[in-house]
Amino acid sequence: MSDVSRPSPAGVRTAAVIPAAGRGVRLGPGAPKALRALNGTPMLIHAVRALAASRAVSLVVVVAPPDGAAEVKSLLDAHALPERTDFLVVPGGESRQESVKLGLDALPPGYDIVLVHDAARPLVPVDTVDAVIEAVRDGAPAVVPALPLADTVKEVEPARTPGEPEPVLATPERARLRAVQTPQGFDRETLLRAHGTVTSDVTDDAGMVEQLGERVVVVPGHEEAFKVTRPLDLVLAEAVLARRRLNDGF
């Protein structure tokens, strides 16, 4: 690991936190989801490379399973990663929210922008990463990449027993809805304040910033930034990588 004091080319330094402590039960038994192989390489390595591909990202903090920090560090050391980017590995907590906070606590001073990225989104294009960073630089305290929904969405009364019919309560206007992806980008002080203030269970960090009453904006996401959670997603991710290899000539 190299010195983490190197400034980014644009002067405002950006760090990324990748929580990778989850078990990924929907992918079935075995290794933690982030360590599952994708085209022979752990998903986590793909995700780290995706963030480090941005010239603006000068530090990536990987939050490992609580008992797996040494294994994850060895994994990073064993794979080729951009030399201009520094890497840290810290043990995570029992929840995603706790793991992100532990990653934030590990950040050295001097990083004004923080990205939080799902290890299970290994194929996010660098243009999406850069768009999120640029929006934070332009003054937004929180930025999320997102896509319009292709399907009509129904709000329902959840069934008490899985598989039972569920009564429809409403049909939200699809044009106003977005499917949120990562990396989500933040002004560091705002994100720290959110993690120090919001204690309720949330599904993403931008939701915590929303609870502070701060402005959250959306930038265009990308269809290849999908989340790998089911076995079918692994098949799709392999197909994306195969197409990239064909297009890039390797």
Side-chain angles (χ1 to χ4, degrees), residues 150-236:
D151 299 318
T152 296
V153 175
K154 300 289 185 183
E155 180 184 356
V156 302
E157 181 66 42
R160 294 182 180 180
T161 303
E164 287 189 350
E166 298 175 320
V168 171
L169 302 178
T171 304
E173 184 182 346
R174 189 172 65 183
R176 297 173 61 90
L177 301 177
R178 298 291 183 269
V180 172
Q181 302 176 326
T182 70
Q184 299 185 353
F186 304 90
D187 165 75
R188 178 178 182 168
E189 186 278 330
T190 301
L191 184 58
L192 286 172
R193 185 155 49 91
H195 274 271
T197 304
V198 178
T199 57
S200 58
D201 189 28
V202 293
T203 57
D204 72 342
D205 295 271
M208 300 174 72
V209 174
E210 288 176 49
Q211 291 192 34
L212 295 181
E214 295 284 355
R215 183 170 63 105
V216 178
V217 302
V218 166
V219 297
H222 196 281
E223 61 183 5
E224 293 181 3
F226 62 90
K227 193 172 186 178
V228 177
T229 57
R230 303 160 300 174
L232 183 61
D233 299 326
L234 283 171
V235 176
L236 179 58

Side-chain angles (χ1 to χ4, degrees), residues 63-148:
V63 187
D67 57 351
E71 179 186 1
V72 169
K73 186 180 184 305
S74 295
L75 201 64
L76 293 183
D77 290 339
H79 289 81
L81 299 171
E83 292 185 1
R84 68 172 181 268
T85 308
D86 298 303
F87 302 91
L88 295 174
V89 178
V90 298
E94 293 302 315
S95 68
R96 183 186 186 280
Q97 193 168 339
E98 184 182 351
S99 291
V100 172
K101 179 61 165 59
L102 290 167
L104 292 174
D105 290 344
L107 288 180
Y111 289 92
D112 302 307
I113 297 174
V114 180
L115 306 179
V116 180
H117 183 58
D118 295 330
R121 296 184 190 271
L123 303 179
V124 58
V126 67
D127 288 350
T128 302
V129 179
D130 287 338
V132 170
I133 295 170
E134 191 62 33
V136 181
R137 283 180 178 162
D138 286 345
V143 179
V144 296
L147 292 176

